[in-house]
Structure formats: C-alpha cells, structure tokens
PDB file of all heavy atoms in Angstrom:
ATOM      1  N   LEU L   1     142.645  29.846  52.150  1.00 74.00           N
ATOM      2  CA  LEU L   1     142.508  28.416  52.668  1.00 74.00           C
ATOM      3  C   LEU L   1     143.773  28.036  53.497  1.00 74.00           C
ATOM      4  O   LEU L   1     143.833  27.089  54.191  1.00 74.00           O
ATOM      5  CB  LEU L   1     142.314  27.512  51.552  1.00 74.00           C
ATOM      6  CG  LEU L   1     140.971  27.484  50.907  1.00 74.00           C
ATOM      7  CD1 LEU L   1     140.860  26.492  49.774  1.00 74.00           C
ATOM      8  CD2 LEU L   1     139.846  27.098  51.888  1.00 74.00           C
ATOM      9  N   ARG L   2     144.859  28.955  53.323  1.00 73.00           N
ATOM     10  CA  ARG L   2     146.109  28.669  54.210  1.00 73.00           C
ATOM     11  C   ARG L   2     145.701  28.794  55.651  1.00 73.00           C
ATOM     12  O   ARG L   2     146.370  28.153  56.496  1.00 73.00           O
ATOM     13  CB  ARG L   2     147.133  29.706  53.785  1.00 73.00           C
ATOM     14  CG  ARG L   2     147.662  29.425  52.309  1.00 73.00           C
ATOM     15  CD  ARG L   2     148.596  30.494  51.904  1.00 73.00           C
ATOM     16  NE  ARG L   2     148.891  30.393  50.551  1.00 73.00           N
ATOM     17  CZ  ARG L   2     149.791  31.311  49.897  1.00 73.00           C
ATOM     18  NH1 ARG L   2     150.288  32.327  50.582  1.00 73.00           N
ATOM     19  NH2 ARG L   2     150.084  31.089  48.604  1.00 73.00           N
ATOM     20  N   SER L   3     144.699  29.520  55.986  1.00 77.00           N
ATOM     21  CA  SER L   3     144.240  29.654  57.419  1.00 77.00           C
ATOM     22  C   SER L   3     143.149  28.534  57.667  1.00 77.00           C
ATOM     23  O   SER L   3     142.250  28.375  56.944  1.00 77.00           O
ATOM     24  CB  SER L   3     143.576  31.040  57.588  1.00 77.00           C
ATOM     25  OG  SER L   3     143.041  31.176  58.908  1.00 77.00           O
ATOM     26  N   ARG L   4     143.475  27.882  58.828  1.00 73.00           N
ATOM     27  CA  ARG L   4     142.461  26.766  59.171  1.00 73.00           C
ATOM     28  C   ARG L   4     141.070  27.230  59.510  1.00 73.00           C
ATOM     29  O   ARG L   4     140.153  26.556  59.560  1.00 73.00           O
ATOM     30  CB  ARG L   4     143.078  25.974  60.284  1.00 73.00           C
ATOM     31  CG  ARG L   4     144.349  25.170  59.938  1.00 73.00           C
ATOM     32  CD  ARG L   4     144.826  24.391  61.114  1.00 73.00           C
ATOM     33  NE  ARG L   4     146.029  23.681  60.738  1.00 73.00           N
ATOM     34  CZ  ARG L   4     146.705  22.832  61.567  1.00 73.00           C
ATOM     35  NH1 ARG L   4     146.258  22.634  62.824  1.00 73.00           N
ATOM     36  NH2 ARG L   4     147.732  22.177  61.249  1.00 73.00           N
ATOM     37  N   ARG L   5     140.984  28.504  59.839  1.00 75.00           N
ATOM     38  CA  ARG L   5     139.719  29.104  60.185  1.00 75.00           C
ATOM     39  C   ARG L   5     138.840  29.376  58.989  1.00 75.00           C
ATOM     40  O   ARG L   5     137.664  29.847  59.157  1.00 75.00           O
ATOM     41  CB  ARG L   5     139.903  30.316  61.088  1.00 75.00           C
ATOM     42  CG  ARG L   5     140.576  29.975  62.415  1.00 75.00           C
ATOM     43  CD  ARG L   5     140.809  31.239  63.329  1.00 75.00           C
ATOM     44  NE  ARG L   5     141.438  30.941  64.548  1.00 75.00           N
ATOM     45  CZ  ARG L   5     141.679  31.833  65.438  1.00 75.00           C
ATOM     46  NH1 ARG L   5     141.310  33.162  65.241  1.00 75.00           N
ATOM     47  NH2 ARG L   5     142.253  31.528  66.648  1.00 75.00           N
ATOM     48  N   HIS L   6     139.443  29.397  57.800  1.00 79.00           N
ATOM     49  CA  HIS L   6     138.662  29.822  56.625  1.00 79.00           C
ATOM     50  C   HIS L   6     138.020  28.537  55.975  1.00 79.00           C
ATOM     51  O   HIS L   6     138.741  27.537  55.779  1.00 79.00           O
ATOM     52  CB  HIS L   6     139.604  30.592  55.650  1.00 79.00           C
ATOM     53  CG  HIS L   6     138.906  30.983  54.404  1.00 79.00           C
ATOM     54  ND1 HIS L   6     137.972  32.162  54.462  1.00 79.00           N
ATOM     55  CD2 HIS L   6     138.941  30.555  53.150  1.00 79.00           C
ATOM     56  CE1 HIS L   6     137.496  32.300  53.260  1.00 79.00           C
ATOM     57  NE2 HIS L   6     138.110  31.392  52.343  1.00 79.00           N
ATOM     58  N   GLY L   7     136.777  28.729  55.564  1.00 77.00           N
ATOM     59  CA  GLY L   7     136.105  27.607  54.854  1.00 77.00           C
ATOM     60  C   GLY L   7     135.501  26.559  55.756  1.00 77.00           C
ATOM     61  O   GLY L   7     135.536  26.647  57.035  1.00 77.00           O
ATOM     62  N   THR L   8     134.883  25.561  55.256  1.00 82.00           N
ATOM     63  CA  THR L   8     134.338  24.476  56.012  1.00 82.00           C
ATOM     64  C   THR L   8     134.924  23.109  55.502  1.00 82.00           C
ATOM     65  O   THR L   8     135.407  22.980  54.360  1.00 82.00           O
ATOM     66  CB  THR L   8     132.817  24.459  55.792  1.00 82.00           C
ATOM     67  OG1 THR L   8     132.420  24.341  54.398  1.00 82.00           O
ATOM     68  CG2 THR L   8     132.139  25.736  56.359  1.00 82.00           C
ATOM     69  N   TYR L   9     134.712  22.198  56.369  1.00 85.00           N
ATOM     70  CA  TYR L   9     135.247  20.830  56.028  1.00 85.00           C
ATOM     71  C   TYR L   9     134.091  19.885  55.618  1.00 85.00           C
ATOM     72  O   TYR L   9     132.953  20.053  55.996  1.00 85.00           O
ATOM     73  CB  TYR L   9     135.943  20.218  57.285  1.00 85.00           C
ATOM     74  CG  TYR L   9     137.197  20.940  57.711  1.00 85.00           C
ATOM     75  CD1 TYR L   9     137.205  22.041  58.428  1.00 85.00           C
ATOM     76  CD2 TYR L   9     138.479  20.524  57.225  1.00 85.00           C
ATOM     77  CE1 TYR L   9     138.284  22.795  58.891  1.00 85.00           C
ATOM     78  CE2 TYR L   9     139.516  21.279  57.631  1.00 85.00           C
ATOM     79  CZ  TYR L   9     139.529  22.366  58.449  1.00 85.00           C
ATOM     80  OH  TYR L   9     140.636  23.068  58.754  1.00 85.00           O
ATOM     81  N   GLY L  10     134.400  18.975  54.769  1.00 88.00           N
ATOM     82  CA  GLY L  10     133.537  17.976  54.256  1.00 88.00           C
ATOM     83  C   GLY L  10     134.083  16.583  54.313  1.00 88.00           C
ATOM     84  O   GLY L  10     135.378  16.413  54.398  1.00 88.00           O
ATOM     85  N   VAL L  11     133.362  15.605  54.184  1.00 91.00           N
ATOM     86  CA  VAL L  11     133.763  14.206  54.184  1.00 91.00           C
ATOM     87  C   VAL L  11     133.301  13.510  52.951  1.00 91.00           C
ATOM     88  O   VAL L  11     132.288  13.802  52.316  1.00 91.00           O
ATOM     89  CB  VAL L  11     133.266  13.413  55.370  1.00 91.00           C
ATOM     90  CG1 VAL L  11     133.806  13.952  56.679  1.00 91.00           C
ATOM     91  CG2 VAL L  11     131.731  13.347  55.487  1.00 91.00           C
ATOM     92  N   PHE L  12     134.102  12.490  52.455  1.00 91.00           N
ATOM     93  CA  PHE L  12     133.795  11.782  51.261  1.00 91.00           C
ATOM     94  C   PHE L  12     134.162  10.329  51.503  1.00 91.00           C
ATOM     95  O   PHE L  12     135.210  10.026  51.906  1.00 91.00           O
ATOM     96  CB  PHE L  12     134.513  12.294  50.060  1.00 91.00           C
ATOM     97  CG  PHE L  12     134.459  11.469  48.841  1.00 91.00           C
ATOM     98  CD1 PHE L  12     133.381  11.639  48.027  1.00 91.00           C
ATOM     99  CD2 PHE L  12     135.388  10.478  48.566  1.00 91.00           C
ATOM    100  CE1 PHE L  12     133.253  10.895  46.832  1.00 91.00           C
ATOM    101  CE2 PHE L  12     135.272   9.682  47.376  1.00 91.00           C
ATOM    102  CZ  PHE L  12     134.175   9.872  46.525  1.00 91.00           C
ATOM    103  N   GLN L  13     133.133   9.377  51.306  1.00 92.00           N
ATOM    104  CA  GLN L  13     133.467   7.985  51.485  1.00 92.00           C
ATOM    105  C   GLN L  13     132.756   7.251  50.296  1.00 92.00           C
ATOM    106  O   GLN L  13     131.580   7.419  50.034  1.00 92.00           O
ATOM    107  CB  GLN L  13     132.876   7.505  52.840  1.00 92.00           C
ATOM    108  CG  GLN L  13     132.973   6.005  53.052  1.00 92.00           C
ATOM    109  CD  GLN L  13     134.422   5.525  53.087  1.00 92.00           C
ATOM    110  OE1 GLN L  13     135.161   6.139  53.881  1.00 92.00           O
ATOM    111  NE2 GLN L  13     134.795   4.568  52.297  1.00 92.00           N
ATOM    112  N   GLU L  14     133.563   6.412  49.691  1.00 91.00           N
ATOM    113  CA  GLU L  14     133.042   5.506  48.659  1.00 91.00           C
ATOM    114  C   GLU L  14     132.182   4.414  49.262  1.00 91.00           C
ATOM    115  O   GLU L  14     132.664   3.651  50.193  1.00 91.00           O
ATOM    116  CB  GLU L  14     134.145   4.898  47.793  1.00 91.00           C
ATOM    117  CG  GLU L  14     133.789   4.204  46.525  1.00 91.00           C
ATOM    118  CD  GLU L  14     133.402   5.190  45.493  1.00 91.00           C
ATOM    119  OE1 GLU L  14     133.906   6.324  45.501  1.00 91.00           O
ATOM    120  OE2 GLU L  14     132.737   4.742  44.483  1.00 91.00           O
ATOM    121  N   LEU L  15     130.982   4.162  48.776  1.00 91.00           N
ATOM    122  CA  LEU L  15     130.094   3.201  49.278  1.00 91.00           C
ATOM    123  C   LEU L  15     130.108   1.965  48.333  1.00 91.00           C
ATOM    124  O   LEU L  15     130.667   1.939  47.227  1.00 91.00           O
ATOM    125  CB  LEU L  15     128.622   3.577  49.349  1.00 91.00           C
ATOM    126  CG  LEU L  15     128.459   4.985  50.246  1.00 91.00           C
ATOM    127  CD1 LEU L  15     126.975   5.330  50.230  1.00 91.00           C
ATOM    128  CD2 LEU L  15     128.820   4.697  51.725  1.00 91.00           C
ATOM    129  N   ASP L  16     129.545   0.931  48.829  1.00 89.00           N
ATOM    130  CA  ASP L  16     129.433  -0.277  47.921  1.00 89.00           C
ATOM    131  C   ASP L  16     128.439   0.006  46.725  1.00 89.00           C
ATOM    132  O   ASP L  16     127.339   0.657  47.023  1.00 89.00           O
ATOM    133  CB  ASP L  16     128.899  -1.553  48.714  1.00 89.00           C
ATOM    134  CG  ASP L  16     130.028  -2.058  49.626  1.00 89.00           C
ATOM    135  OD1 ASP L  16     130.831  -2.751  49.221  1.00 89.00           O
ATOM    136  OD2 ASP L  16     129.959  -1.615  50.880  1.00 89.00           O
ATOM    137  N   PRO L  17     128.654  -0.535  45.565  1.00 89.00           N
ATOM    138  CA  PRO L  17     127.757  -0.404  44.547  1.00 89.00           C
ATOM    139  C   PRO L  17     126.357  -0.785  44.808  1.00 89.00           C
ATOM    140  O   PRO L  17     126.099  -1.728  45.662  1.00 89.00           O
ATOM    141  CB  PRO L  17     128.476  -1.098  43.373  1.00 89.00           C
ATOM    142  CG  PRO L  17     129.842  -1.324  43.757  1.00 89.00           C
ATOM    143  CD  PRO L  17     129.794  -1.452  45.241  1.00 89.00           C
ATOM    144  N   ALA L  18     125.417  -0.066  44.172  1.00 86.00           N
ATOM    145  CA  ALA L  18     123.963  -0.588  44.275  1.00 86.00           C
ATOM    146  C   ALA L  18     123.853  -1.906  43.577  1.00 86.00           C
ATOM    147  O   ALA L  18     124.766  -2.395  42.912  1.00 86.00           O
ATOM    148  CB  ALA L  18     123.146   0.507  43.634  1.00 86.00           C
ATOM    149  N   GLN L  19     122.632  -2.489  43.682  1.00 81.00           N
ATOM    150  CA  GLN L  19     122.358  -3.763  43.100  1.00 81.00           C
ATOM    151  C   GLN L  19     122.392  -3.687  41.633  1.00 81.00           C
ATOM    152  O   GLN L  19     122.704  -4.804  40.979  1.00 81.00           O
ATOM    153  CB  GLN L  19     120.959  -4.297  43.649  1.00 81.00           C
ATOM    154  CG  GLN L  19     120.937  -4.548  45.145  1.00 81.00           C
ATOM    155  CD  GLN L  19     119.536  -5.011  45.490  1.00 81.00           C
ATOM    156  OE1 GLN L  19     118.950  -5.796  44.810  1.00 81.00           O
ATOM    157  NE2 GLN L  19     119.156  -4.859  46.707  1.00 81.00           N
ATOM    158  N   ASP L  20     122.137  -2.528  41.014  1.00 83.00           N
ATOM    159  CA  ASP L  20     122.222  -2.406  39.570  1.00 83.00           C
ATOM    160  C   ASP L  20     123.563  -2.039  39.140  1.00 83.00           C
ATOM    161  O   ASP L  20     123.774  -1.690  37.916  1.00 83.00           O
ATOM    162  CB  ASP L  20     121.171  -1.380  39.100  1.00 83.00           C
ATOM    163  CG  ASP L  20     121.344  -0.038  39.753  1.00 83.00           C
ATOM    164  OD1 ASP L  20     122.233   0.145  40.578  1.00 83.00           O
ATOM    165  OD2 ASP L  20     120.572   0.855  39.460  1.00 83.00           O
ATOM    166  N   GLY L  21     124.633  -2.019  39.985  1.00 85.00           N
ATOM    167  CA  GLY L  21     125.901  -1.664  39.667  1.00 85.00           C
ATOM    168  C   GLY L  21     126.259  -0.205  39.781  1.00 85.00           C
ATOM    169  O   GLY L  21     127.411   0.187  39.451  1.00 85.00           O
ATOM    170  N   ARG L  22     125.301   0.619  40.113  1.00 89.00           N
ATOM    171  CA  ARG L  22     125.558   2.068  40.082  1.00 89.00           C
ATOM    172  C   ARG L  22     126.500   2.446  41.237  1.00 89.00           C
ATOM    173  O   ARG L  22     126.389   1.904  42.335  1.00 89.00           O
ATOM    174  CB  ARG L  22     124.206   2.782  40.301  1.00 89.00           C
ATOM    175  CG  ARG L  22     124.194   4.220  40.490  1.00 89.00           C
ATOM    176  CD  ARG L  22     122.878   4.830  40.534  1.00 89.00           C
ATOM    177  NE  ARG L  22     122.002   4.054  41.486  1.00 89.00           N
ATOM    178  CZ  ARG L  22     121.895   4.397  42.754  1.00 89.00           C
ATOM    179  NH1 ARG L  22     122.592   5.361  43.281  1.00 89.00           N
ATOM    180  NH2 ARG L  22     121.104   3.688  43.485  1.00 89.00           N
ATOM    181  N   ARG L  23     127.398   3.373  40.913  1.00 90.00           N
ATOM    182  CA  ARG L  23     128.373   3.796  41.882  1.00 90.00           C
ATOM    183  C   ARG L  23     127.791   4.792  42.846  1.00 90.00           C
ATOM    184  O   ARG L  23     126.924   5.520  42.519  1.00 90.00           O
ATOM    185  CB  ARG L  23     129.505   4.560  41.133  1.00 90.00           C
ATOM    186  CG  ARG L  23     130.691   4.927  42.077  1.00 90.00           C
ATOM    187  CD  ARG L  23     131.744   5.586  41.318  1.00 90.00           C
ATOM    188  NE  ARG L  23     132.859   6.070  42.161  1.00 90.00           N
ATOM    189  CZ  ARG L  23     133.961   6.749  41.757  1.00 90.00           C
ATOM    190  NH1 ARG L  23     134.064   7.185  40.486  1.00 90.00           N
ATOM    191  NH2 ARG L  23     134.925   7.044  42.555  1.00 90.00           N
ATOM    192  N   ARG L  24     128.124   4.635  44.205  1.00 91.00           N
ATOM    193  CA  ARG L  24     127.502   5.502  45.180  1.00 91.00           C
ATOM    194  C   ARG L  24     128.556   6.045  46.163  1.00 91.00           C
ATOM    195  O   ARG L  24     129.599   5.311  46.426  1.00 91.00           O
ATOM    196  CB  ARG L  24     126.506   4.658  46.089  1.00 91.00           C
ATOM    197  CG  ARG L  24     125.349   4.081  45.222  1.00 91.00           C
ATOM    198  CD  ARG L  24     124.346   3.442  46.084  1.00 91.00           C
ATOM    199  NE  ARG L  24     124.841   2.171  46.648  1.00 91.00           N
ATOM    200  CZ  ARG L  24     124.086   1.319  47.375  1.00 91.00           C
ATOM    201  NH1 ARG L  24     122.771   1.634  47.614  1.00 91.00           N
ATOM    202  NH2 ARG L  24     124.547   0.157  47.889  1.00 91.00           N
ATOM    203  N   ARG L  25     128.254   7.157  46.614  1.00 90.00           N
ATOM    204  CA  ARG L  25     129.227   7.884  47.550  1.00 90.00           C
ATOM    205  C   ARG L  25     128.460   8.576  48.673  1.00 90.00           C
ATOM    206  O   ARG L  25     127.379   9.042  48.525  1.00 90.00           O
ATOM    207  CB  ARG L  25     130.022   9.067  46.752  1.00 90.00           C
ATOM    208  CG  ARG L  25     130.757   8.591  45.487  1.00 90.00           C
ATOM    209  CD  ARG L  25     131.360   9.694  44.735  1.00 90.00           C
ATOM    210  NE  ARG L  25     131.962   9.316  43.550  1.00 90.00           N
ATOM    211  CZ  ARG L  25     131.341   9.231  42.347  1.00 90.00           C
ATOM    212  NH1 ARG L  25     130.031   9.446  42.361  1.00 90.00           N
ATOM    213  NH2 ARG L  25     131.979   8.939  41.292  1.00 90.00           N
ATOM    214  N   PHE L  26     129.147   8.665  49.756  1.00 92.00           N
ATOM    215  CA  PHE L  26     128.663   9.383  50.925  1.00 92.00           C
ATOM    216  C   PHE L  26     129.355  10.757  51.010  1.00 92.00           C
ATOM    217  O   PHE L  26     130.559  10.756  51.217  1.00 92.00           O
ATOM    218  CB  PHE L  26     128.806   8.659  52.296  1.00 92.00           C
ATOM    219  CG  PHE L  26     128.300   9.358  53.439  1.00 92.00           C
ATOM    220  CD1 PHE L  26     126.993   9.030  53.826  1.00 92.00           C
ATOM    221  CD2 PHE L  26     129.050  10.267  54.125  1.00 92.00           C
ATOM    222  CE1 PHE L  26     126.419   9.769  54.950  1.00 92.00           C
ATOM    223  CE2 PHE L  26     128.624  10.919  55.280  1.00 92.00           C
ATOM    224  CZ  PHE L  26     127.198  10.666  55.666  1.00 92.00           C
ATOM    225  N   ARG L  27     128.690  11.836  50.802  1.00 91.00           N
ATOM    226  CA  ARG L  27     129.293  13.186  50.794  1.00 91.00           C
ATOM    227  C   ARG L  27     128.460  14.034  51.804  1.00 91.00           C
ATOM    228  O   ARG L  27     127.181  13.926  51.929  1.00 91.00           O
ATOM    229  CB  ARG L  27     129.153  13.890  49.445  1.00 91.00           C
ATOM    230  CG  ARG L  27     129.944  13.323  48.385  1.00 91.00           C
ATOM    231  CD  ARG L  27     129.685  13.999  47.061  1.00 91.00           C
ATOM    232  NE  ARG L  27     130.522  13.525  46.001  1.00 91.00           N
ATOM    233  CZ  ARG L  27     131.688  13.851  45.636  1.00 91.00           C
ATOM    234  NH1 ARG L  27     132.357  14.745  46.340  1.00 91.00           N
ATOM    235  NH2 ARG L  27     132.332  13.286  44.628  1.00 91.00           N
ATOM    236  N   ARG L  28     129.166  14.763  52.659  1.00 91.00           N
ATOM    237  CA  ARG L  28     128.593  15.592  53.609  1.00 91.00           C
ATOM    238  C   ARG L  28     129.540  16.705  54.037  1.00 91.00           C
ATOM    239  O   ARG L  28     130.748  16.512  54.289  1.00 91.00           O
ATOM    240  CB  ARG L  28     128.094  14.879  54.898  1.00 91.00           C
ATOM    241  CG  ARG L  28     127.423  15.716  55.940  1.00 91.00           C
ATOM    242  CD  ARG L  28     126.487  14.804  56.803  1.00 91.00           C
ATOM    243  NE  ARG L  28     125.363  14.315  56.014  1.00 91.00           N
ATOM    244  CZ  ARG L  28     124.501  13.520  56.490  1.00 91.00           C
ATOM    245  NH1 ARG L  28     124.530  13.095  57.741  1.00 91.00           N
ATOM    246  NH2 ARG L  28     123.490  13.112  55.810  1.00 91.00           N
ATOM    247  N   GLY L  29     129.000  17.988  54.017  1.00 87.00           N
ATOM    248  CA  GLY L  29     130.003  19.102  54.367  1.00 87.00           C
ATOM    249  C   GLY L  29     129.351  20.034  55.404  1.00 87.00           C
ATOM    250  O   GLY L  29     128.373  19.611  56.034  1.00 87.00           O
ATOM    251  N   GLY L  30     130.015  21.130  55.520  1.00 85.00           N
ATOM    252  CA  GLY L  30     129.471  22.144  56.433  1.00 85.00           C
ATOM    253  C   GLY L  30     130.073  22.093  57.920  1.00 85.00           C
ATOM    254  O   GLY L  30     129.537  22.639  58.790  1.00 85.00           O
ATOM    255  N   PHE L  31     131.166  21.167  58.083  1.00 87.00           N
ATOM    256  CA  PHE L  31     131.778  21.022  59.450  1.00 87.00           C
ATOM    257  C   PHE L  31     132.683  22.176  59.679  1.00 87.00           C
ATOM    258  O   PHE L  31     133.508  22.611  58.884  1.00 87.00           O
ATOM    259  CB  PHE L  31     132.513  19.729  59.520  1.00 87.00           C
ATOM    260  CG  PHE L  31     131.532  18.553  59.246  1.00 87.00           C
ATOM    261  CD1 PHE L  31     131.543  17.924  58.065  1.00 87.00           C
ATOM    262  CD2 PHE L  31     130.695  18.069  60.323  1.00 87.00           C
ATOM    263  CE1 PHE L  31     130.678  16.820  57.880  1.00 87.00           C
ATOM    264  CE2 PHE L  31     129.934  16.909  60.157  1.00 87.00           C
ATOM    265  CZ  PHE L  31     129.906  16.348  58.902  1.00 87.00           C
ATOM    266  N   ASP L  32     132.621  22.768  60.896  1.00 83.00           N
ATOM    267  CA  ASP L  32     133.495  23.887  61.237  1.00 83.00           C
ATOM    268  C   ASP L  32     134.949  23.464  61.370  1.00 83.00           C
ATOM    269  O   ASP L  32     135.843  24.327  61.109  1.00 83.00           O
ATOM    270  CB  ASP L  32     133.015  24.498  62.553  1.00 83.00           C
ATOM    271  CG  ASP L  32     131.558  25.061  62.394  1.00 83.00           C
ATOM    272  OD1 ASP L  32     131.159  25.335  61.285  1.00 83.00           O
ATOM    273  OD2 ASP L  32     130.875  25.166  63.409  1.00 83.00           O
ATOM    274  N   THR L  33     135.247  22.392  61.957  1.00 86.00           N
ATOM    275  CA  THR L  33     136.541  21.866  62.189  1.00 86.00           C
ATOM    276  C   THR L  33     136.844  20.612  61.466  1.00 86.00           C
ATOM    277  O   THR L  33     135.904  19.800  61.266  1.00 86.00           O
ATOM    278  CB  THR L  33     136.798  21.786  63.715  1.00 86.00           C
ATOM    279  OG1 THR L  33     136.039  20.792  64.261  1.00 86.00           O
ATOM    280  CG2 THR L  33     136.561  23.150  64.403  1.00 86.00           C
ATOM    281  N   SER L  34     138.005  20.328  61.362  1.00 86.00           N
ATOM    282  CA  SER L  34     138.475  18.992  60.798  1.00 86.00           C
ATOM    283  C   SER L  34     138.131  17.840  61.768  1.00 86.00           C
ATOM    284  O   SER L  34     137.829  16.695  61.385  1.00 86.00           O
ATOM    285  CB  SER L  34     139.934  18.915  60.407  1.00 86.00           C
ATOM    286  OG  SER L  34     140.758  19.154  61.540  1.00 86.00           O
ATOM    287  N   ALA L  35     138.095  18.166  63.139  1.00 89.00           N
ATOM    288  CA  ALA L  35     137.867  17.117  64.117  1.00 89.00           C
ATOM    289  C   ALA L  35     136.363  16.658  63.964  1.00 89.00           C
ATOM    290  O   ALA L  35     136.096  15.395  64.080  1.00 89.00           O
ATOM    291  CB  ALA L  35     138.079  17.709  65.510  1.00 89.00           C
ATOM    292  N   LYS L  36     135.415  17.542  63.796  1.00 91.00           N
ATOM    293  CA  LYS L  36     134.143  17.208  63.514  1.00 91.00           C
ATOM    294  C   LYS L  36     133.919  16.413  62.365  1.00 91.00           C
ATOM    295  O   LYS L  36     133.115  15.447  62.222  1.00 91.00           O
ATOM    296  CB  LYS L  36     133.196  18.413  63.564  1.00 91.00           C
ATOM    297  CG  LYS L  36     133.119  19.117  64.892  1.00 91.00           C
ATOM    298  CD  LYS L  36     132.227  20.319  64.839  1.00 91.00           C
ATOM    299  CE  LYS L  36     132.136  21.077  66.220  1.00 91.00           C
ATOM    300  NZ  LYS L  36     131.318  22.209  66.084  1.00 91.00           N
ATOM    301  N   ALA L  37     134.576  16.767  61.217  1.00 89.00           N
ATOM    302  CA  ALA L  37     134.447  16.002  59.987  1.00 89.00           C
ATOM    303  C   ALA L  37     135.029  14.660  60.173  1.00 89.00           C
ATOM    304  O   ALA L  37     134.419  13.678  59.617  1.00 89.00           O
ATOM    305  CB  ALA L  37     135.202  16.819  58.898  1.00 89.00           C
TER     306      ALA L  37
END
C-alpha cells in the first residue's frame, strides 16, 4: 500500500439518521485513483 498504484480507493460519508433513528452510511469503493474517489 506504500505504492499509490496498489489497491483501490473508496469513499465513506455519514448520512442523516433514518426516521426510526437507524444509523446510515454511504459507502462506495473500486475507484482507481484518489481523484475519482
């Protein structure tokens, strides 16, 4: 992982809770570069 070309990038964002109070997150990975992520 010390090499930027190894592995893929992903994003994580905390969403607002659902109406029942359930915690929600936005997760998505598989990006080739950090710029795309």
Side-chain angles (χ1 to χ4, degrees):
L1 288 177
R2 297 174 183 176
S3 172
R4 293 183 178 181
R5 297 181 179 180
H6 183 70
T8 58
Y9 293 85
V11 296
F12 172 86
Q13 176 64 52
E14 190 79 20
L15 303 178
D16 288 275
Q19 297 184 28
D20 57 0
R22 176 174 48 86
R23 186 180 180 184
R24 299 185 290 184
R25 305 175 184 85
F26 181 91
R27 293 179 182 272
R28 180 156 293 178
F31 298 100
D32 297 335
T33 63
S34 61
K36 293 181 179 179

